[in-house]
Amino acid sequence: MLNKIFFNQKVLSVAIQSLLGVSLFSSMAHAEDTQPEKLATITVTASQTEHDQKSAPATISVITQEDLAKRPVYDLADALQQSAGIHINTSSAYGRKEIKIRGLDSDYTLILVNGRRVNSRDALTSNYSNDFDLSSIPLAAVDRIEVVRGPMSSIYGADALGGVVNIILKKPSEQLETAFNYSYELPTEGDDGAIHKASAYIGGSLIENKLLANLVLEGVDQQAWRSEQSIYKNTDAAEKRKGFSILSNVSWLINDNQTLDVDLTHRSDDRKAVWNNYGLSFPTNIQEMDRTSVGLTYSANWNDINSRLRYYYENVDLMDNSEIITNLYKKTGDIQQTNHTVDAQLSGHIGEQHLVTGGAEFRKTELEHNQNLNGSASVNQTALYLQDEWKLDRLSLTFAGRFDDYDSFGSEFSPRFYSVYQVTDQFNFKGGIGKSFKAPSLSQSDPTYSVLACRGMCQVIGNPDLEPETATSYEFGGVYENDQFYASLMYFDNDIKNMIVSDGWRAGYRPKVMTYTNVHSASVKGVELESQYDVNDALGVKFNYTYSDAKNKDTDKELDYSPRHTGNMALDWRVNDALGLNLNYQYIGNQMLYVPAISKSQKSDDYHILGLSGQYQFNPSFTMQAGIKNLTNTKRDDVARSIDYILMGRTAFFGFNFKY
């Protein structure tokens, strides 16, 4: 134990000395001051057409490669942690995470890769959250991440009630590019928790001006972390995780107007944790997921009409050895989910004022589950959508609508209207209204799908009569941007109906068979501020704050796991051409947490997280990073710790990047 404490202190000391040493070394470095001209950030997620942040018909944030390089990020949750309107919620007693946008549940956040949904939702019950999806793409392959806050079912269909996270991958270019990254981090208290992460990238031209390709490899090894904060010290506060990814994209430039892209991805993701089963037992949960996807995209431009036809295949193979359930079923879970998607889209101008985008989609999901299903289940979905972006001098109007038809529950229409008015060259008013929906999952809607509950003494089966959850959402505000300053202030209001809930045991009510029903309604409204100010070429400040009032309209009580106040601040200081320092602060306000031991929700106090990092560029090819996460060693309060929601303590990290 003493050796462990000494080693942790030594790692922390090395990290601090690295930052100080880099700072002293940089004071002797001299280089010509060259600052690149600031370019507008172009996004495509808000309308599937190109806009900058100020003119986009939605509230949108962009996380760039430069942003990701400033701190170690394990997966998508880490990358988004300090973004406006985002709350990364703990979803399990052993460190899994989920993304909540504007106070809405994580099931209302749609995750896309290049505009295509990533989905293992039917293979995993909601108790496991979407953590596997958040780790599905190697961050070494990411060009940028676009976050749309607000409903987007008018383009993307189900599940986009809260918003959309779209991961845009790097495209291969004619020029040869290679890169290698490595990072290491270690908590300074508790037992183990070390994380090693390494990635390699190569891309370039196979046939000049004709065939381009890239290849990304990424591996992550995280040891289980145990903390004195846990109620039972023999349980894991963070699970053991091993992951390996391989991703490749090949682009055939058929001619100046036509391109054929093929992309392949494979991810193995293995998890193991010992957790607390209400203090009655301490089961070991082991899950091993292999995810394979293949995408084929044909893009063409015909006299300024852009067209796209693509097919996307995703297979999720899950071995689920969650000890309690496995013992009850007397067999290990073998789950297969297969997703097939075909879509087509046309986009072009009609006259000078109208940019029209339309498309169609067919999606088929198949599920095999040897524990919960008697055989297999599938659901088919078809959709048509149309969008008109109408430009009237300084006023831009966006009208959109999508019709979805599911063979499991019927059809749903999702309209949307948005307007952007250019008051000056720097300032825009914007706002809109939209309807969105969340389709019942296979586990919720298929009557042959049965989940053991109540410690094996009851079961919850699907309900074929469920209606989709729907939301009507409003937002309005303003966006200001000049060469040095960006600010966005938005008001939002979401009215959600037909929320799907599972029945549960309570005093005097203990049936053997239960199901899901459409019961609750909820209201989530608030204000969101996002800003960035470049004081000069060397110093920049980012700030965001979200106030969210999330209530169950039936009971007039706060929704669980939804803090009213969240905020982030980051200070970026370019000391000179070689050295950059970053200080970041995060505030999470108090929130209601459900405590199973007392069968009710309790308020958990707010908390603050401070981080410090630095990067030193030795030459154009080699950069080193070092720093400390949770600098003040903040701990969550007794309510959070009573359900084993443990915040990882002070952690030192070190890494380097090599590119050519």
Side-chain angles (χ1 to χ4, degrees), residues 62 80 85 138 191 221 248 251 271 275 371 436 569 605:
V62 180
L80 296 174
D191 185 14
D221 185 353
S248 180
S251 184
R271 317 283 186 93
W275 66 289
Q371 292 177 331
S436 51
M569 179 177 290
D605 292 339

Side-chain angles (χ1 to χ4, degrees), residues 617-630:
Q617 186 171 354
F618 289 90
N619 55 51
S621 299
F622 185 72
T623 304
M624 184 187 78
Q625 299 93 24
I628 304 171
K629 300 163 68 173
N630 194 2

Side-chain angles (χ1 to χ4, degrees), residues 40-257:
T41 302
I42 301 300
T43 72
V44 295
T45 308
S47 61
Q48 299 212 26
T49 57
E50 291 188 351
H51 290 274
D52 59 36
Q53 282 182 272
K54 183 160 60 70
S55 68
T59 306
I60 192 165
S61 298
V62 180
I63 301 167
T64 64
Q65 284 180 303
E66 291 75 14
D67 296 326
L68 295 175
K70 291 175 182 177
R71 62 187 191 276
V73 288
Y74 181 91
D75 55 21
L76 189 59
D78 287 342
L80 296 174
Q81 193 161 15
Q82 297 176 14
S83 300
I86 300 289
H87 173 48
I88 304 301
N89 181 57
T90 302
S91 65
S92 74
Y94 38 90
R96 294 190 182 180
K97 301 173 183 176
E98 57 187 8
I99 297 174
K100 298 168 69 76
I101 298 180
R102 287 181 171 175
L104 292 173
D105 192 84
S106 63
D107 285 345
Y108 303 152
T109 300
L110 179 61
I111 299 174
L112 307 173
V113 176
N114 287 344
R116 305 174 312 207
R117 66 178 56 217
V118 175
N119 179 22
S120 61
R121 174 184 174 195
D122 293 301
L124 294 159
T125 66
S126 59
N127 291 335
Y128 294 127
S129 77
N130 58 358
D131 198 87
F132 280 91
D133 288 347
L134 304 185
S135 304
S136 62
I137 296 296
L139 290 180
V142 173
D143 178 69
R144 67 185 188 277
I145 302 170
E146 299 182 1
V147 182
V148 177
R149 302 185 296 279
M152 293 302 296
S153 289
S154 61
I155 295 179
Y156 299 109
D159 308 330
L161 279 77
V164 174
V165 176
N166 191 12
I167 308 164
I168 310 297
L169 301 180
K170 294 177 182 176
K171 293 183 178 180
S173 63
E174 291 282 353
Q175 185 178 358
L176 177 65
E177 297 178 78
T178 60
F180 177 77
N181 304 322
Y182 170 79
S183 65
Y184 171 75
E185 60 181 86
L186 183 69
T188 61
E189 63 177 35
D191 185 14
D192 215 329
I195 302 176
H196 299 267
K197 179 178 178 180
S199 65
Y201 175 90
I202 184 170
S205 174
L206 300 179
I207 302 176
E208 187 176 357
N209 298 322
K210 185 59 66 174
L211 194 63
L212 311 177
N214 63 14
L215 176 67
V216 180
L217 304 174
E218 182 178 87
V220 178
D221 185 353
Q222 173 180 307
Q223 296 301 308
W225 178 62
R226 293 187 173 181
S227 171
E228 292 296 318
Q229 302 176 56
S230 300
I231 300 174
Y232 298 96
K233 307 302 183 286
N234 61 329
T235 59
D236 295 328
E239 64 187 339
K240 181 178 181 179
R241 306 170 69 171
K242 286 190 176 182
F244 176 76
S245 299
I246 179 169
L247 181 148
S248 180
N249 177 269
V250 179
S251 184
W252 176 26
L253 310 179
I254 302 172
N255 54 40
D256 291 342
N257 300 321

Side-chain angles (χ1 to χ4, degrees), residues 30-42:
H30 299 282
E32 182 179 352
D33 184 15
T34 57
Q35 290 293 333
E37 181 182 353
K38 184 176 180 180
L39 301 175
T41 302
I42 301 300

